[in-house]
Amino acid sequence: MAGREHWRSRTGFVIATIGSAVGLGNIWRFSYVAGENGGGAFLLVYALAVALIALPLVVAELALGRRGGGDTVTAFEAASPKSPLRHAGWIGACGAVLILSYYAVVAGWALKYFSGAALGGLWSAAFSGYGAYFEQFIANRGEPLAWQMAMLLMSMLVVSAGVRGGIERLNLWLMPLLAVIVLALAAFALSLPGSTAGMRFLFEPDWAMLARPSLYVAALGQAFFSVGVGMAIYITYGSYLPGTFRIPVSALTIVAGDTLFAIAAGLAIFPAVFAMGADPAAGPKLAFVTLPQLFLAMPAGTVVGSIFFFLLVAAALTSMISLLEVPVALVMQRLRWSRPAAVAAVGTLIFAIGLPSALSYGVLTSVRLAGMPVLDAIDHATSGLLLPLAGIAAAFAAGWAWHRRTALEAANLADTRLGTAWRWLLRYGVPATIAVILLRAAGLA
Ligand code: PHE
């Protein structure tokens, strides 16, 4: 068999992985959840969740992937050949497919808005109001499907060009551009008169919120989703890591990059929302209903708006690529298919699985799963259940199935205090925290 593909450089790997982590979750989900959960108080708990839960898991997943030397299923089989844990790779693989199936739909909405913003159609739609505009669009039979397909095709194109030539190359030029864009948008928003209220909304701590259990559930859920642990992405990307790269520093850079990006996006959005007197708690509709209205009212808003939607599309694309690579790597290795064949088959399958999500506010609007539209239900089931479950599995595989020495060496943490702390967290801290949160979410604790 030909040798496994590898990243060209450490920078390329770190930037591609930040590209995976930074996505729709950072741009609107983070700021909205932070605002709703007590601003600065939420940020504090979020930072702890990232440092104590997400970061150790990123290290564990990268180590499992590198040592496994293959797809995510292989990684779990290698770490734990005899226990039932060997099947756990399938959780992440299925999770990645399911998340991508609806993520592509939302990314398609962003692409529609970007093209409308750049070509002008979005701005002339303002008469009827963006609420009606958005609702009409997502209720449409064919249009959301076309945009969903366009986003998937772009991701497929990049992934079929391979780890170095596709994934690493695209991220290397796109991610620095996105960093510049988000900082410029933040600077612009902060320069608007009345923007300080937005800063307060995002940062001013409402300490009373710390007494609410829902804050902890929200913080952990957001940490999982935003960093993207539990979906086998780090396992898959880790399998392309040369043995010489040291994992801990990269992992720290990745989660720090993801968090800084989220804060910068919050600074771009909320000062503007407050400066224009809009509703900060609009939730999922914020990006598609509130923001277009706001762009229209601000100086140079059509340009700023086009740039914002470009940011949204590009951030979503780099995340979609990483989600797609998980099942593609699996099919390539297990069925010995070529990369292009695997991409074509998996991409088509994901498009098909995503159809009910794409139609969930239109033709299928009367279909409810657990009382929710299909897209929302899949979102909840994957981020609320599959992600944490796969997280526990990775913690068990690296913390319990591996011997102490193996684990510490695989993670480049041998003979360090940090290594001891990391292993303790994986064995006890991480599973216990996730279990409590899962039970809470299920209403059992
Ligand atoms: N982390 C990405 C975001 O913030 C989304 C994502 C979630 C990607 C889960 C992979 C797995 O949008």
Side-chain angles (χ1 to χ4, degrees), residues 60 64 393-404 407 422-424 426-427:
L64 283 166
F396 277 161
W400 292 95
W402 269 347
H403 292 298
R404 185 187 159 79
W422 172 69
R423 193 155 177 275
W424 186 90
L426 288 183
R427 286 165 79 92

Side-chain angles (χ1 to χ4, degrees), residues 87-168:
H87 302 300
W90 292 104
I91 310 176
C94 295
V97 167
L98 280 177
I99 291 202
L100 183 52
S101 78
Y102 77 82
Y103 203 87
V105 174
V106 182
W109 300 348
L111 185 60
K112 145 103 182 167
Y113 271 64
F114 168 61
S115 86
L119 301 174
L122 183 65
W123 311 121
S124 53
F127 304 116
S128 48
Y130 285 104
Y133 176 80
F134 181 59
E135 253 140 58
Q136 250 168 36
F137 163 59
I138 58 175
N140 193 293
R141 232 164 243 278
E143 223 199 316
L145 306 192
W147 295 108
Q148 167 206 13
M149 186 184 283
M151 285 305 296
L152 269 175
L153 284 175
M154 280 195 272
S155 321
M156 289 163 69
L157 209 68
V158 177
V159 170
S160 62
V163 175
R164 285 185 177 195
I167 301 175
E168 186 168 350

Side-chain angles (χ1 to χ4, degrees), residues 20-26 99 103 225-228 231 233 319 323 387:
S20 157
V22 170
L24 298 170
N26 302 61
I99 291 202
Y103 203 87
F225 191 86
S226 183
V227 177
M231 282 303 104
I233 291 169
S319 297
L323 282 163
L387 239 84

Side-chain angles (χ1 to χ4, degrees), residues 5 153-163 165-167 237 317 320-326 328-329 332 339-340 342-343:
E5 295 171 80
L153 284 175
M154 280 195 272
S155 321
M156 289 163 69
L157 209 68
V158 177
V159 170
S160 62
V163 175
I167 301 175
Y237 275 18
L317 180 68
M320 289 177 66
I321 287 165
S322 67
L323 282 163
L324 181 58
E325 179 65 15
V326 171
V328 164
M332 281 171 67
R339 181 172 274 279
V343 169

